[in-house]
Amino acid sequence: MGCLFTKHIKQIPGYEEPTVLAGETSFTVSEVEALYELFKKLSSSIIVDGLIHKEEFQLALFKNSNTRNLFADRIFDLFDVKRNGVIEFGEFVRSLSVFHPNTAISEKIEFAFRLYDLRHTGFIEREELKEMVLALLKESDLCLSDDVVETIVDKTFSEADLNGDGKIDREEWKEFVARNPSLLKNMTLPYLKDITIAFPSFVLYSEVEDSD
Amino acid sequence: RPVMMNAFELISTSQGLNLGTLFEK
């Protein structure tokens, strides 16, 4: 069984079967297939090798392959689970699944924590938070005095660092997010529920009918 | 008043975290 199209895509490095990925994520098989359309577009925008390189990710996010950004770097690093400098299809789908509207809030909380734990210490430290605020200000061409930045960071820490040890641990992060649910709004992409409408071409070739 | 901003709220507005852009044609 299988058509020429299917045989062709199986040769791409890092390709995984949509049925397998759908079983492990919030996506249906059709949605994974539609995501493959998006993945193909992103992974061939500069280097046609079926892998998303950092420059291709930046090009998709900023319309400029040279635009560096702390947060885009962090997202890329988290998507690049194998830490080999590129995002493979399976990594792309599993990571994007965190942003699916149906994914458990606990997964989103954990992903956001890892995103903001810049140095992988298991804590969001004060210096890391300040570094992120400064990066955001620079990105936005906003100018705030160091005193104001310190005050913003201090205030956030006074609310989030419940045990006052100068760093935010996972439990404190969970409590802080529970009190400030809007912090997770960028962890959900409504588009992902309509992905088969946005990228419908693969659906014509779909071998498997979704059961739900 | 900027001093009342939650630092994480501020950060979450980063364009680098707006993955919706990936879906733009």
Side-chain angles (χ1 to χ4, degrees):
Chain A
M1 284 292 286
C3 60
L4 285 173
F5 189 78
T6 312
K7 281 174 183 164
H8 171 68
I9 60 178
K10 279 177 181 170
Q11 292 168 3
I12 289 172
Y15 180 78
E16 293 183 55
E17 288 296 335
T19 46
V20 173
L21 291 169
E24 294 178 19
T25 65
S26 296
F27 297 112
T28 63
V29 174
S30 295
E31 286 167 343
V32 174
E33 290 171 342
L35 278 178
Y36 191 67
E37 288 299 307
L38 171 63
F39 182 83
K40 276 195 298 185
K41 186 183 117 182
L42 300 179
S43 64
S44 61
S45 63
I46 297 175
I47 304 165
V48 186
D49 60 358
L51 302 162
I52 299 177
H53 295 254
K54 176 74 76 69
E55 293 79 8
E56 291 173 322
F57 193 66
Q58 289 166 181
L59 179 63
L61 275 183
F62 306 119
K63 312 299 174 212
N64 182 335
S65 61
N66 295 317
T67 302
R68 295 294 302 269
N69 176 290
L70 172 69
F71 303 101
D73 279 355
R74 290 296 300 139
I75 291 276
F76 188 91
D77 288 347
L78 286 179
F79 274 49
D80 176 17
V81 177
K82 289 183 185 168
R83 309 212 34 95
N84 58 351
V86 288
I87 301 172
E88 297 176 358
F89 180 55
E91 292 174 330
F92 184 69
V93 174
R94 289 190 181 88
S95 300
L96 268 186
S97 178
V98 173
F99 295 82
H100 193 285
N102 293 352
T103 295
I105 202 85
S106 56
E107 271 191 56
K108 297 173 190 284
I109 292 172
E110 169 63 18
F111 191 92
F113 184 85
R114 288 165 56 214
L115 186 66
Y116 298 144
D117 175 14
L118 299 182
R119 293 183 246 292
H120 318 114
T121 56
F123 303 95
I124 301 170
E125 295 176 42
R126 200 181 176 292
E127 280 310 303
E128 292 173 324
L129 186 56
K130 185 174 177 183
E131 186 178 336
M132 290 188 279
V133 170
L134 291 173
L136 183 278
L137 294 176
K138 188 176 171 201
E139 170 192 333
S140 315
D141 287 327
L142 289 171
C143 193
L144 294 179
S145 72
D146 199 54
D147 279 355
V148 174
V149 173
E150 289 283 341
T151 306
I152 292 170
V153 172
D154 281 346
K155 181 173 182 293
T156 303
F157 254 77
S158 70
E159 293 167 4
D161 178 21
L162 298 177
N163 66 10
D165 64 353
K167 48 197 184 183
I168 299 166
D169 61 34
R170 276 185 164 77
E171 285 309 308
E172 288 169 335
W173 176 245
K174 282 180 198 166
E175 290 193 33
F176 189 61
V177 171
R179 280 180 279 128
N180 301 277
S182 65
L183 293 185
L184 287 186
K185 63 179 183 292
N186 59 345
M187 295 303 301
T188 295
L189 290 169
Y191 310 86
L192 293 176
K193 275 204 132 175
D194 301 320
I195 190 75
T196 53
I197 298 167
F199 295 92
S201 53
F202 194 103
V203 178
L204 297 172
Y205 301 96
S206 177
E207 292 180 280
V208 185
E209 293 289 326
D210 288 331
S211 56
D212 52 353
Chain B
R1 293 193 306 163
V3 290
M4 297 308 289
M5 280 180 192
N6 175 327
F8 289 108
E9 287 271 14
L10 201 59
I11 290 165
S12 70
T13 63
S14 169
Q15 201 187 342
L17 297 179
N18 179 16
L19 294 192
T21 316
L22 297 179
F23 300 88
E24 288 175 8
K25 304 249 175 168

PDB file of all heavy atoms in Angstrom, chain A residues 170-201:
ATOM      1  N   ARG A 170       9.612  25.723  40.489  1.00  0.00           N
ATOM      2  CA  ARG A 170       8.445  25.254  39.726  1.00  0.00           C
ATOM      3  C   ARG A 170       7.133  25.425  40.488  1.00  0.00           C
ATOM      4  O   ARG A 170       6.116  25.791  39.914  1.00  0.00           O
ATOM      5  CB  ARG A 170       8.624  23.780  39.342  1.00  0.00           C
ATOM      6  CG  ARG A 170       9.435  23.579  38.093  1.00  0.00           C
ATOM      7  CD  ARG A 170       9.479  22.121  37.676  1.00  0.00           C
ATOM      8  NE  ARG A 170       9.928  21.973  36.295  1.00  0.00           N
ATOM      9  CZ  ARG A 170      11.195  22.080  35.910  1.00  0.00           C
ATOM     10  NH1 ARG A 170      12.135  22.357  36.801  1.00  0.00           N
ATOM     11  NH2 ARG A 170      11.527  21.939  34.632  1.00  0.00           N
ATOM     12  N   GLU A 171       7.155  25.125  41.780  1.00  0.00           N
ATOM     13  CA  GLU A 171       5.919  25.231  42.575  1.00  0.00           C
ATOM     14  C   GLU A 171       5.482  26.686  42.675  1.00  0.00           C
ATOM     15  O   GLU A 171       4.296  26.993  42.571  1.00  0.00           O
ATOM     16  CB  GLU A 171       6.132  24.634  43.977  1.00  0.00           C
ATOM     17  CG  GLU A 171       6.154  23.120  43.996  1.00  0.00           C
ATOM     18  CD  GLU A 171       4.957  22.505  43.275  1.00  0.00           C
ATOM     19  OE1 GLU A 171       3.810  22.893  43.603  1.00  0.00           O
ATOM     20  OE2 GLU A 171       5.155  21.656  42.384  1.00  0.00           O
ATOM     21  N   GLU A 172       6.453  27.581  42.886  1.00  0.00           N
ATOM     22  CA  GLU A 172       6.126  29.012  42.962  1.00  0.00           C
ATOM     23  C   GLU A 172       5.593  29.507  41.614  1.00  0.00           C
ATOM     24  O   GLU A 172       4.681  30.335  41.557  1.00  0.00           O
ATOM     25  CB  GLU A 172       7.371  29.805  43.374  1.00  0.00           C
ATOM     26  CG  GLU A 172       7.749  29.587  44.832  1.00  0.00           C
ATOM     27  CD  GLU A 172       9.123  30.151  45.190  1.00  0.00           C
ATOM     28  OE1 GLU A 172       9.980  30.284  44.277  1.00  0.00           O
ATOM     29  OE2 GLU A 172       9.349  30.437  46.372  1.00  0.00           O
ATOM     30  N   TRP A 173       6.184  28.992  40.537  1.00  0.00           N
ATOM     31  CA  TRP A 173       5.732  29.379  39.194  1.00  0.00           C
ATOM     32  C   TRP A 173       4.277  28.944  38.977  1.00  0.00           C
ATOM     33  O   TRP A 173       3.455  29.700  38.473  1.00  0.00           O
ATOM     34  CB  TRP A 173       6.656  28.758  38.148  1.00  0.00           C
ATOM     35  CG  TRP A 173       6.239  28.994  36.718  1.00  0.00           C
ATOM     36  CD1 TRP A 173       5.845  28.068  35.811  1.00  0.00           C
ATOM     37  CD2 TRP A 173       6.167  30.259  36.028  1.00  0.00           C
ATOM     38  NE1 TRP A 173       5.535  28.646  34.614  1.00  0.00           N
ATOM     39  CE2 TRP A 173       5.722  30.000  34.714  1.00  0.00           C
ATOM     40  CE3 TRP A 173       6.439  31.581  36.404  1.00  0.00           C
ATOM     41  CZ2 TRP A 173       5.531  31.012  33.772  1.00  0.00           C
ATOM     42  CZ3 TRP A 173       6.250  32.587  35.458  1.00  0.00           C
ATOM     43  CH2 TRP A 173       5.800  32.305  34.167  1.00  0.00           C
ATOM     44  N   LYS A 174       3.977  27.722  39.381  1.00  0.00           N
ATOM     45  CA  LYS A 174       2.598  27.222  39.227  1.00  0.00           C
ATOM     46  C   LYS A 174       1.618  28.104  39.986  1.00  0.00           C
ATOM     47  O   LYS A 174       0.548  28.437  39.489  1.00  0.00           O
ATOM     48  CB  LYS A 174       2.492  25.780  39.760  1.00  0.00           C
ATOM     49  CG  LYS A 174       3.042  24.738  38.819  1.00  0.00           C
ATOM     50  CD  LYS A 174       2.901  23.355  39.440  1.00  0.00           C
ATOM     51  CE  LYS A 174       3.832  22.377  38.742  1.00  0.00           C
ATOM     52  NZ  LYS A 174       3.987  21.123  39.481  1.00  0.00           N
ATOM     53  N   GLU A 175       1.974  28.468  41.189  1.00  0.00           N
ATOM     54  CA  GLU A 175       1.083  29.311  41.995  1.00  0.00           C
ATOM     55  C   GLU A 175       0.946  30.698  41.389  1.00  0.00           C
ATOM     56  O   GLU A 175      -0.131  31.285  41.377  1.00  0.00           O
ATOM     57  CB  GLU A 175       1.613  29.405  43.434  1.00  0.00           C
ATOM     58  CG  GLU A 175       1.483  28.093  44.181  1.00  0.00           C
ATOM     59  CD  GLU A 175       1.707  28.267  45.678  1.00  0.00           C
ATOM     60  OE1 GLU A 175       1.349  29.339  46.205  1.00  0.00           O
ATOM     61  OE2 GLU A 175       2.265  27.342  46.283  1.00  0.00           O
ATOM     62  N   PHE A 176       2.062  31.213  40.891  1.00  0.00           N
ATOM     63  CA  PHE A 176       2.048  32.556  40.310  1.00  0.00           C
ATOM     64  C   PHE A 176       1.165  32.583  39.055  1.00  0.00           C
ATOM     65  O   PHE A 176       0.372  33.509  38.853  1.00  0.00           O
ATOM     66  CB  PHE A 176       3.481  32.980  39.968  1.00  0.00           C
ATOM     67  CG  PHE A 176       3.606  34.430  39.571  1.00  0.00           C
ATOM     68  CD1 PHE A 176       3.250  35.449  40.448  1.00  0.00           C
ATOM     69  CD2 PHE A 176       4.087  34.786  38.316  1.00  0.00           C
ATOM     70  CE1 PHE A 176       3.372  36.787  40.086  1.00  0.00           C
ATOM     71  CE2 PHE A 176       4.206  36.123  37.947  1.00  0.00           C
ATOM     72  CZ  PHE A 176       3.845  37.121  38.835  1.00  0.00           C
ATOM     73  N   VAL A 177       1.290  31.542  38.233  1.00  0.00           N
ATOM     74  CA  VAL A 177       0.476  31.466  37.009  1.00  0.00           C
ATOM     75  C   VAL A 177      -1.002  31.291  37.360  1.00  0.00           C
ATOM     76  O   VAL A 177      -1.879  31.860  36.706  1.00  0.00           O
ATOM     77  CB  VAL A 177       0.974  30.321  36.093  1.00  0.00           C
ATOM     78  CG1 VAL A 177       0.008  30.089  34.940  1.00  0.00           C
ATOM     79  CG2 VAL A 177       2.361  30.651  35.544  1.00  0.00           C
ATOM     80  N   ALA A 178      -1.258  30.529  38.415  1.00  0.00           N
ATOM     81  CA  ALA A 178      -2.659  30.336  38.831  1.00  0.00           C
ATOM     82  C   ALA A 178      -3.290  31.677  39.220  1.00  0.00           C
ATOM     83  O   ALA A 178      -4.477  31.916  38.973  1.00  0.00           O
ATOM     84  CB  ALA A 178      -2.721  29.361  39.997  1.00  0.00           C
ATOM     85  N   ARG A 179      -2.474  32.542  39.813  1.00  0.00           N
ATOM     86  CA  ARG A 179      -2.979  33.864  40.212  1.00  0.00           C
ATOM     87  C   ARG A 179      -2.966  34.859  39.040  1.00  0.00           C
ATOM     88  O   ARG A 179      -3.634  35.887  39.099  1.00  0.00           O
ATOM     89  CB  ARG A 179      -2.129  34.421  41.369  1.00  0.00           C
ATOM     90  CG  ARG A 179      -2.522  33.822  42.725  1.00  0.00           C
ATOM     91  CD  ARG A 179      -1.670  34.397  43.856  1.00  0.00           C
ATOM     92  NE  ARG A 179      -0.391  33.730  43.936  1.00  0.00           N
ATOM     93  CZ  ARG A 179       0.795  34.346  43.953  1.00  0.00           C
ATOM     94  NH1 ARG A 179       0.851  35.659  43.888  1.00  0.00           N
ATOM     95  NH2 ARG A 179       1.911  33.666  44.038  1.00  0.00           N
ATOM     96  N   ASN A 180      -2.176  34.545  38.014  1.00  0.00           N
ATOM     97  CA  ASN A 180      -2.061  35.439  36.837  1.00  0.00           C
ATOM     98  C   ASN A 180      -2.208  34.617  35.550  1.00  0.00           C
ATOM     99  O   ASN A 180      -1.249  34.462  34.791  1.00  0.00           O
ATOM    100  CB  ASN A 180      -0.702  36.149  36.841  1.00  0.00           C
ATOM    101  CG  ASN A 180      -0.473  36.988  38.084  1.00  0.00           C
ATOM    102  OD1 ASN A 180      -0.920  38.119  38.162  1.00  0.00           O
ATOM    103  ND2 ASN A 180       0.211  36.412  39.060  1.00  0.00           N
ATOM    104  N   PRO A 181      -3.389  34.079  35.301  1.00  0.00           N
ATOM    105  CA  PRO A 181      -3.555  33.154  34.160  1.00  0.00           C
ATOM    106  C   PRO A 181      -3.228  33.782  32.800  1.00  0.00           C
ATOM    107  O   PRO A 181      -2.902  33.067  31.851  1.00  0.00           O
ATOM    108  CB  PRO A 181      -5.031  32.740  34.228  1.00  0.00           C
ATOM    109  CG  PRO A 181      -5.686  33.700  35.169  1.00  0.00           C
ATOM    110  CD  PRO A 181      -4.626  34.245  36.073  1.00  0.00           C
ATOM    111  N   SER A 182      -3.284  35.112  32.724  1.00  0.00           N
ATOM    112  CA  SER A 182      -3.003  35.740  31.431  1.00  0.00           C
ATOM    113  C   SER A 182      -1.549  35.525  31.006  1.00  0.00           C
ATOM    114  O   SER A 182      -1.208  35.694  29.833  1.00  0.00           O
ATOM    115  CB  SER A 182      -3.317  37.235  31.487  1.00  0.00           C
ATOM    116  OG  SER A 182      -2.457  37.881  32.398  1.00  0.00           O
ATOM    117  N   LEU A 183      -0.686  35.124  31.951  1.00  0.00           N
ATOM    118  CA  LEU A 183       0.718  34.865  31.609  1.00  0.00           C
ATOM    119  C   LEU A 183       0.854  33.724  30.614  1.00  0.00           C
ATOM    120  O   LEU A 183       1.886  33.595  29.957  1.00  0.00           O
ATOM    121  CB  LEU A 183       1.524  34.518  32.869  1.00  0.00           C
ATOM    122  CG  LEU A 183       1.710  35.625  33.897  1.00  0.00           C
ATOM    123  CD1 LEU A 183       2.630  35.153  34.998  1.00  0.00           C
ATOM    124  CD2 LEU A 183       2.287  36.868  33.231  1.00  0.00           C
ATOM    125  N   LEU A 184      -0.160  32.891  30.532  1.00  0.00           N
ATOM    126  CA  LEU A 184      -0.080  31.741  29.631  1.00  0.00           C
ATOM    127  C   LEU A 184      -0.759  31.980  28.297  1.00  0.00           C
ATOM    128  O   LEU A 184      -0.851  31.076  27.477  1.00  0.00           O
ATOM    129  CB  LEU A 184      -0.710  30.506  30.296  1.00  0.00           C
ATOM    130  CG  LEU A 184       0.069  29.855  31.425  1.00  0.00           C
ATOM    131  CD1 LEU A 184      -0.642  28.583  31.856  1.00  0.00           C
ATOM    132  CD2 LEU A 184       1.503  29.527  31.015  1.00  0.00           C
ATOM    133  N   LYS A 185      -1.220  33.203  28.071  1.00  0.00           N
ATOM    134  CA  LYS A 185      -2.011  33.400  26.853  1.00  0.00           C
ATOM    135  C   LYS A 185      -1.204  33.145  25.574  1.00  0.00           C
ATOM    136  O   LYS A 185      -1.746  32.697  24.580  1.00  0.00           O
ATOM    137  CB  LYS A 185      -2.684  34.775  26.825  1.00  0.00           C
ATOM    138  CG  LYS A 185      -1.766  35.969  26.801  1.00  0.00           C
ATOM    139  CD  LYS A 185      -2.604  37.254  26.756  1.00  0.00           C
ATOM    140  CE  LYS A 185      -1.728  38.488  26.647  1.00  0.00           C
ATOM    141  NZ  LYS A 185      -0.926  38.759  27.861  1.00  0.00           N
ATOM    142  N   ASN A 186       0.102  33.388  25.640  1.00  0.00           N
ATOM    143  CA  ASN A 186       0.902  33.116  24.440  1.00  0.00           C
ATOM    144  C   ASN A 186       1.314  31.643  24.347  1.00  0.00           C
ATOM    145  O   ASN A 186       2.058  31.262  23.453  1.00  0.00           O
ATOM    146  CB  ASN A 186       2.141  34.025  24.381  1.00  0.00           C
ATOM    147  CG  ASN A 186       3.040  33.852  25.569  1.00  0.00           C
ATOM    148  OD1 ASN A 186       2.634  33.265  26.572  1.00  0.00           O
ATOM    149  ND2 ASN A 186       4.265  34.340  25.482  1.00  0.00           N
ATOM    150  N   MET A 187       0.821  30.829  25.258  1.00  0.00           N
ATOM    151  CA  MET A 187       1.113  29.395  25.183  1.00  0.00           C
ATOM    152  C   MET A 187      -0.006  28.623  24.484  1.00  0.00           C
ATOM    153  O   MET A 187       0.015  27.391  24.449  1.00  0.00           O
ATOM    154  CB  MET A 187       1.319  28.822  26.602  1.00  0.00           C
ATOM    155  CG  MET A 187       2.532  29.378  27.342  1.00  0.00           C
ATOM    156  SD  MET A 187       4.086  29.150  26.459  1.00  0.00           S
ATOM    157  CE  MET A 187       4.090  27.390  26.308  1.00  0.00           C
ATOM    158  N   THR A 188      -0.991  29.340  23.977  1.00  0.00           N
ATOM    159  CA  THR A 188      -2.062  28.692  23.214  1.00  0.00           C
ATOM    160  C   THR A 188      -2.213  29.394  21.863  1.00  0.00           C
ATOM    161  O   THR A 188      -2.315  30.611  21.806  1.00  0.00           O
ATOM    162  CB  THR A 188      -3.397  28.748  23.980  1.00  0.00           C
ATOM    163  OG1 THR A 188      -3.263  27.971  25.169  1.00  0.00           O
ATOM    164  CG2 THR A 188      -4.539  28.183  23.147  1.00  0.00           C
ATOM    165  N   LEU A 189      -2.187  28.597  20.811  1.00  0.00           N
ATOM    166  CA  LEU A 189      -2.360  29.126  19.450  1.00  0.00           C
ATOM    167  C   LEU A 189      -3.686  28.611  18.902  1.00  0.00           C
ATOM    168  O   LEU A 189      -3.788  27.446  18.520  1.00  0.00           O
ATOM    169  CB  LEU A 189      -1.225  28.642  18.557  1.00  0.00           C
ATOM    170  CG  LEU A 189       0.154  29.225  18.816  1.00  0.00           C
ATOM    171  CD1 LEU A 189       1.214  28.449  18.038  1.00  0.00           C
ATOM    172  CD2 LEU A 189       0.207  30.693  18.436  1.00  0.00           C
ATOM    173  N   PRO A 190      -4.696  29.472  18.853  1.00  0.00           N
ATOM    174  CA  PRO A 190      -6.002  29.031  18.337  1.00  0.00           C
ATOM    175  C   PRO A 190      -5.902  28.480  16.919  1.00  0.00           C
ATOM    176  O   PRO A 190      -6.667  27.591  16.543  1.00  0.00           O
ATOM    177  CB  PRO A 190      -6.843  30.312  18.368  1.00  0.00           C
ATOM    178  CG  PRO A 190      -6.162  31.204  19.347  1.00  0.00           C
ATOM    179  CD  PRO A 190      -4.701  30.879  19.261  1.00  0.00           C
ATOM    180  N   TYR A 191      -4.920  28.972  16.142  1.00  0.00           N
ATOM    181  CA  TYR A 191      -4.717  28.510  14.764  1.00  0.00           C
ATOM    182  C   TYR A 191      -4.610  26.985  14.681  1.00  0.00           C
ATOM    183  O   TYR A 191      -4.966  26.388  13.686  1.00  0.00           O
ATOM    184  CB  TYR A 191      -3.402  29.053  14.192  1.00  0.00           C
ATOM    185  CG  TYR A 191      -3.186  30.530  14.338  1.00  0.00           C
ATOM    186  CD1 TYR A 191      -2.623  31.060  15.489  1.00  0.00           C
ATOM    187  CD2 TYR A 191      -3.524  31.404  13.310  1.00  0.00           C
ATOM    188  CE1 TYR A 191      -2.408  32.427  15.613  1.00  0.00           C
ATOM    189  CE2 TYR A 191      -3.311  32.762  13.429  1.00  0.00           C
ATOM    190  CZ  TYR A 191      -2.759  33.264  14.583  1.00  0.00           C
ATOM    191  OH  TYR A 191      -2.552  34.605  14.692  1.00  0.00           O
ATOM    192  N   LEU A 192      -4.058  26.400  15.726  1.00  0.00           N
ATOM    193  CA  LEU A 192      -3.781  24.966  15.662  1.00  0.00           C
ATOM    194  C   LEU A 192      -5.045  24.124  15.577  1.00  0.00           C
ATOM    195  O   LEU A 192      -4.996  22.973  15.155  1.00  0.00           O
ATOM    196  CB  LEU A 192      -2.934  24.537  16.873  1.00  0.00           C
ATOM    197  CG  LEU A 192      -1.522  25.118  16.877  1.00  0.00           C
ATOM    198  CD1 LEU A 192      -0.776  24.735  18.143  1.00  0.00           C
ATOM    199  CD2 LEU A 192      -0.747  24.660  15.642  1.00  0.00           C
ATOM    200  N   LYS A 193      -6.171  24.699  15.955  1.00  0.00           N
ATOM    201  CA  LYS A 193      -7.432  23.959  15.824  1.00  0.00           C
ATOM    202  C   LYS A 193      -7.951  24.016  14.392  1.00  0.00           C
ATOM    203  O   LYS A 193      -8.789  23.216  14.008  1.00  0.00           O
ATOM    204  CB  LYS A 193      -8.479  24.540  16.774  1.00  0.00           C
ATOM    205  CG  LYS A 193      -8.386  23.964  18.176  1.00  0.00           C
ATOM    206  CD  LYS A 193      -9.696  24.086  18.902  1.00  0.00           C
ATOM    207  CE  LYS A 193     -10.054  22.783  19.555  1.00  0.00           C
ATOM    208  NZ  LYS A 193     -11.259  22.877  20.361  1.00  0.00           N
ATOM    209  N   ASP A 194      -7.453  24.985  13.632  1.00  0.00           N
ATOM    210  CA  ASP A 194      -7.935  25.159  12.255  1.00  0.00           C
ATOM    211  C   ASP A 194      -6.836  24.864  11.252  1.00  0.00           C
ATOM    212  O   ASP A 194      -6.874  25.316  10.125  1.00  0.00           O
ATOM    213  CB  ASP A 194      -8.411  26.608  12.045  1.00  0.00           C
ATOM    214  CG  ASP A 194      -9.517  26.977  13.007  1.00  0.00           C
ATOM    215  OD1 ASP A 194     -10.376  26.120  13.234  1.00  0.00           O
ATOM    216  OD2 ASP A 194      -9.506  28.104  13.526  1.00  0.00           O
ATOM    217  N   ILE A 195      -5.842  24.111  11.694  1.00  0.00           N
ATOM    218  CA  ILE A 195      -4.664  23.911  10.856  1.00  0.00           C
ATOM    219  C   ILE A 195      -5.007  23.218   9.536  1.00  0.00           C
ATOM    220  O   ILE A 195      -4.391  23.477   8.508  1.00  0.00           O
ATOM    221  CB  ILE A 195      -3.571  23.131  11.641  1.00  0.00           C
ATOM    222  CG1 ILE A 195      -2.248  23.129  10.893  1.00  0.00           C
ATOM    223  CG2 ILE A 195      -3.993  21.730  11.980  1.00  0.00           C
ATOM    224  CD1 ILE A 195      -1.528  24.431  10.961  1.00  0.00           C
ATOM    225  N   THR A 196      -6.013  22.369   9.541  1.00  0.00           N
ATOM    226  CA  THR A 196      -6.353  21.672   8.289  1.00  0.00           C
ATOM    227  C   THR A 196      -7.021  22.620   7.302  1.00  0.00           C
ATOM    228  O   THR A 196      -7.040  22.371   6.106  1.00  0.00           O
ATOM    229  CB  THR A 196      -7.282  20.468   8.534  1.00  0.00           C
ATOM    230  OG1 THR A 196      -8.412  20.915   9.276  1.00  0.00           O
ATOM    231  CG2 THR A 196      -6.571  19.367   9.295  1.00  0.00           C
ATOM    232  N   ILE A 197      -7.567  23.734   7.824  1.00  0.00           N
ATOM    233  CA  ILE A 197      -8.148  24.747   6.927  1.00  0.00           C
ATOM    234  C   ILE A 197      -7.031  25.637   6.386  1.00  0.00           C
ATOM    235  O   ILE A 197      -6.997  25.992   5.218  1.00  0.00           O
ATOM    236  CB  ILE A 197      -9.196  25.600   7.682  1.00  0.00           C
ATOM    237  CG1 ILE A 197     -10.329  24.691   8.162  1.00  0.00           C
ATOM    238  CG2 ILE A 197      -9.726  26.718   6.804  1.00  0.00           C
ATOM    239  CD1 ILE A 197     -11.246  25.342   9.175  1.00  0.00           C
ATOM    240  N   ALA A 198      -6.080  25.953   7.271  1.00  0.00           N
ATOM    241  CA  ALA A 198      -4.979  26.824   6.861  1.00  0.00           C
ATOM    242  C   ALA A 198      -4.051  26.148   5.852  1.00  0.00           C
ATOM    243  O   ALA A 198      -3.550  26.785   4.945  1.00  0.00           O
ATOM    244  CB  ALA A 198      -4.186  27.263   8.096  1.00  0.00           C
ATOM    245  N   PHE A 199      -3.815  24.859   6.051  1.00  0.00           N
ATOM    246  CA  PHE A 199      -2.910  24.115   5.169  1.00  0.00           C
ATOM    247  C   PHE A 199      -3.606  22.843   4.675  1.00  0.00           C
ATOM    248  O   PHE A 199      -3.290  21.746   5.108  1.00  0.00           O
ATOM    249  CB  PHE A 199      -1.605  23.774   5.897  1.00  0.00           C
ATOM    250  CG  PHE A 199      -0.829  24.986   6.254  1.00  0.00           C
ATOM    251  CD1 PHE A 199      -1.008  25.594   7.485  1.00  0.00           C
ATOM    252  CD2 PHE A 199       0.060  25.554   5.356  1.00  0.00           C
ATOM    253  CE1 PHE A 199      -0.313  26.752   7.814  1.00  0.00           C
ATOM    254  CE2 PHE A 199       0.761  26.699   5.677  1.00  0.00           C
ATOM    255  CZ  PHE A 199       0.574  27.303   6.904  1.00  0.00           C
ATOM    256  N   PRO A 200      -4.590  22.998   3.790  1.00  0.00           N
ATOM    257  CA  PRO A 200      -5.447  21.866   3.440  1.00  0.00           C
ATOM    258  C   PRO A 200      -4.886  20.932   2.375  1.00  0.00           C
ATOM    259  O   PRO A 200      -5.393  19.832   2.213  1.00  0.00           O
ATOM    260  CB  PRO A 200      -6.703  22.558   2.898  1.00  0.00           C
ATOM    261  CG  PRO A 200      -6.187  23.821   2.302  1.00  0.00           C
ATOM    262  CD  PRO A 200      -4.989  24.223   3.117  1.00  0.00           C
ATOM    263  N   SER A 201      -3.821  21.319   1.672  1.00  0.00           N
ATOM    264  CA  SER A 201      -3.476  20.560   0.474  1.00  0.00           C
ATOM    265  C   SER A 201      -3.129  19.103   0.758  1.00  0.00           C
ATOM    266  O   SER A 201      -3.450  18.224  -0.028  1.00  0.00           O
ATOM    267  CB  SER A 201      -2.329  21.234  -0.272  1.00  0.00           C
ATOM    268  OG  SER A 201      -1.248  21.460   0.584  1.00  0.00           O
TER     269      SER A 201
END
